[in-house]
Amino acid sequence: MSGKPDATVWKALLAACRAHRNAALAERAAERLFELAPADAVPYVMLSNVYSAAGRWGDVARVRSLMRARGASKEPGRSWMEQDGAVHEFRAGERDHERAAEIFAKVGEMMQRIEEEEEHTADTGFALHDEGEEGKAAELARHSERLAVAWALISVPPGKPIRVYKNLRVCGDCHTTLKLVAKAYERTIVLRDANCFHHMREGLCSCGDYW
């Protein structure tokens, strides 16, 4: 590079390492990020995702211990959307919404539909806990953006875009899932995560699967 790479560049490289399963390069990128911003939780979580994808659960535990020791706390994931003048907020796995039963049923329907129509299987490498394949898939299915989209499918009239906001970077499995949901339900999903806007339609995303 002609200039000195900043944290944003190193995070982009670290994200690419997850996509290409390159743990060695991910470790180098993460080390630079730890030097630049030791209290930023994002690189720890991203490196942990690289290790979990490789089944290196001992390294996942080591990174989490390092994260705690350096005081880097991960902000809980949450997603929200506005409907009829009210803001509906969702946190991973929480059932506080007044129509939680309907929302979780819709999530189950979404997952079954894209499994049957698109042959989608969860990429459990994005799960952060070693709970067996079924447990990991269930953990991913409870992510906040899926709950928000499920609520939108219930409440937003057909033909109108679904707009969801998330405070963290969307995980790779949720990104794939929402693209396929947009296709299966013939909806446009606009997700604004911590990195960029994702315009999803007909199984594709405006980010080109790099974010």
Side-chain angles (χ1 to χ4, degrees):
M1 292 180 63
S2 58
K4 186 176 181 180
D6 60 9
T8 301
V9 173
W10 285 111
K11 285 179 184 177
L13 178 59
L14 184 50
C17 290
R18 170 60 181 81
H20 294 282
R21 314 272 177 159
N22 189 331
L25 187 55
E27 290 168 346
R28 290 177 57 192
E31 285 299 329
R32 295 305 300 270
L33 284 164
F34 296 159
E35 294 170 6
L36 291 168
D40 182 358
V42 172
Y44 297 90
V45 174
M46 294 175 75
L47 182 59
S48 179
N49 284 338
V50 173
Y51 287 143
S52 62
R56 294 168 56 176
W57 296 104
D59 286 319
V60 171
R62 177 179 59 79
V63 171
R64 288 188 176 184
S65 296
L66 184 63
M67 184 175 169
R68 287 192 296 269
R70 293 178 175 175
S73 59
K74 179 181 179 292
E75 183 180 0
R78 60 188 179 91
S79 299
W80 63 96
M81 60 168 291
E82 185 176 348
Q83 175 67 12
D84 297 328
V87 175
H88 297 263
E89 182 172 300
F90 304 87
R91 296 177 185 271
E94 288 191 356
R95 295 176 177 265
D96 294 339
H97 197 278
E98 60 185 0
R99 296 174 66 179
E102 291 177 75
I103 291 168
F104 277 84
K106 179 61 77 171
V107 170
E109 176 194 295
M110 285 161 41
M111 301 313 299
Q112 182 176 359
R113 187 163 173 179
I114 64 173
E115 180 181 348
E116 293 175 352
E117 296 181 11
E118 304 297 334
E119 299 183 348
H120 173 69
T121 56
D123 184 348
T124 55
F126 285 99
L128 294 180
H129 300 94
D130 187 13
E131 303 174 311
E133 291 303 299
E134 280 192 24
K136 293 174 190 175
E139 175 194 330
L140 293 169
R142 295 191 296 265
H143 280 188
S144 63
E145 55 267 56
R146 302 196 200 194
L147 303 181
V149 168
W151 167 243
L153 289 173
I154 294 169
S155 62
V156 176
K160 288 192 174 183
I162 292 170
R163 303 181 186 277
V164 173
Y165 298 85
K166 182 177 174 68
N167 65 326
L168 303 176
R169 180 182 182 273
V170 61
C171 87
D173 187 63
C174 285
H175 188 267
T176 300
T177 294
L178 296 186
K179 287 192 303 177
L180 296 178
V181 167
K183 180 181 180 181
Y185 288 84
E186 298 182 347
R187 303 294 293 261
T188 296
I189 298 175
V190 181
L191 172 65
R192 176 64 168 101
D193 72 356
N195 273 28
C196 66
F197 278 97
H198 301 267
H199 295 255
M200 301 175 178
R201 187 177 180 184
E202 298 179 350
L204 301 174
C205 182
S206 58
C207 76
D209 298 337
Y210 288 93
W211 72 99

